[in-house]
Structure formats: structure tokens, C-alpha cells
Amino acid sequence: MQILSDGSFRIRDTIAIDGEGVSPFAIGAGWLLEIIEMKSGEFYFLRDGEEVRPQTNRFGIFYPRFTIIRMCVNNLKATIVGIGAIRKLKGLPHFPIIFETKFDEPFTSSVQVVEILHSGINPQSIEMNSGPSLLSIKAKRLIDQNYHVYPSIARIASRLKVTHEHLSRQFKRDFEMSPSAYLHRLRMAEATFKLWRGDQIIDVAGEVGYNDLGRFYKQFRKSTRTSPGICRTRKVKR
């Protein structure tokens, strides 16, 4: 990962995943555009239970802030380049899409993203659930707005005038994860970025809502299968 002059970040990586996997995936407070070149295997999404597959071996994916998708891979080998940012940018879609693209230049700033999206071919929505319940929409919005301060899911349920159990069941039915799991995924996504940036571990823990450093370490290992210290040693280039 490399930080660009406008504060956005670009990535370049290779993907090699053996076997088959299907999992919901949550995007945090930043948006991300990826361009993927598939070498072999399968990579697609599930939208309302239906497969959404790329039409070519080279395609773009745009993930808006606070997005939940369901990603599927099978013996995947691919290369990936991308650009993302925490700050908002006008002209970006409000829902995740996959599209064909001819863009093959280096990413130099976030302003390229709008042009790439506007010139994209055959865009397809990859929302995991295009029609979640109003209850889950309201709960998700409250979590998105307050995940730094660790909002109590029970308190959110009370505010929405339902029981904790009912909210958890409905949210999981709509998004295939509990509201508590979604909350932790948002916090871990931001923590990972801050650690890559080189921020101090104790500062990151507090900024994403963990007052107990031991609990932060435990949740980080559970979510990422590595430690905050190892993650921080992979600091970005500037």
C-alpha cells in the first residue's frame, strides 16, 4: 500500500486462494476501487441469492463506504491494483458494482475514480441484499454512525423499540452476520488501515473504540488472524 499526495492510498497485490469459499464481507468508513486481472479460478458475488459474475477476465469493482457484500472464490489466482480513501468524493455510486473497464494506467489520485466509473461497461450491482428490512437498515445506519464509541446493540434495539434478540435475528437474516459482528468488522477494518499507516497500537485501539488494549488484541487476532504488531510492521510507503 502507498499513500498518495491527495491522502488516498493505492494498492498492488497478487491473490492466490486454494479451495472454495463464500463469506459476507463488510467495507468500513472508506471507499475502494479495485481492478482485477484473473489468471485462473472463479471470483463472483451473490446478490439476493443469485450469482453475479464478471463478464471478462479483467474487471473493476467499486465498494462504497459501509457496504456489505457476499463474495465467492474458487481456486483463485489473480492480480489486483486499487485505490481508496477515507474522505468522501462526489460522483461515486452509493451501492457496490462490478463492471468491465479498459483502464490500465497507474493510479495517481482519487479523481481518476469518477472517470473510470463513468467509462465502465456493463455495470452490475453486487449488493448482497437489495431489499433488507427497515429495521436492519435503521440499525445498520446507527452502527455506521457510532461504531467508534462502541454502541450497545441492546441500546440500539431499545431505541428502535424491539428486543435485542429480535434485532439480532433480523439483522443476521438480512446481512448474514449479527449486528455485533458487523460492528467489530467496521472497527477492525479501520484499525488495520491505521496500523498500516504506522499509527501507534495503543492510539489505534482507543480511536476505534477499545478502551481495553487486551480486548483489542484478542478481537484483532480473531478477525485478521495476525497481531496488531505484525500488521504495523507492514507500514505503507509514502
Side-chain angles (χ1 to χ4, degrees), residues 95 185 188:
F95 53 89
R185 290 191 189 207
M188 289 302 105

Side-chain angles (χ1 to χ4, degrees), residues 187-224:
R187 296 170 80 193
M188 289 302 105
E190 183 162 333
T192 300
F193 172 73
K194 289 178 179 291
L195 291 168
W196 277 343
R197 195 171 60 187
D199 294 7
Q200 296 295 323
I201 295 173
I202 191 169
D203 295 334
V204 171
E207 288 168 1
V208 300
Y210 290 93
N211 296 322
D212 183 336
L213 189 59
R215 190 160 178 265
F216 171 70
Y217 268 85
K218 182 178 180 180
Q219 186 63 46
F220 195 91
R221 289 192 183 97
K222 179 180 177 181
S223 300
T224 66

Side-chain angles (χ1 to χ4, degrees), residues 21-38:
V22 180
S23 177
F25 187 74
I27 304 297
W31 54 263
L32 176 65
L33 171 68
E34 295 179 335
I35 296 179
I36 294 177
E37 185 87 35
M38 288 186 54

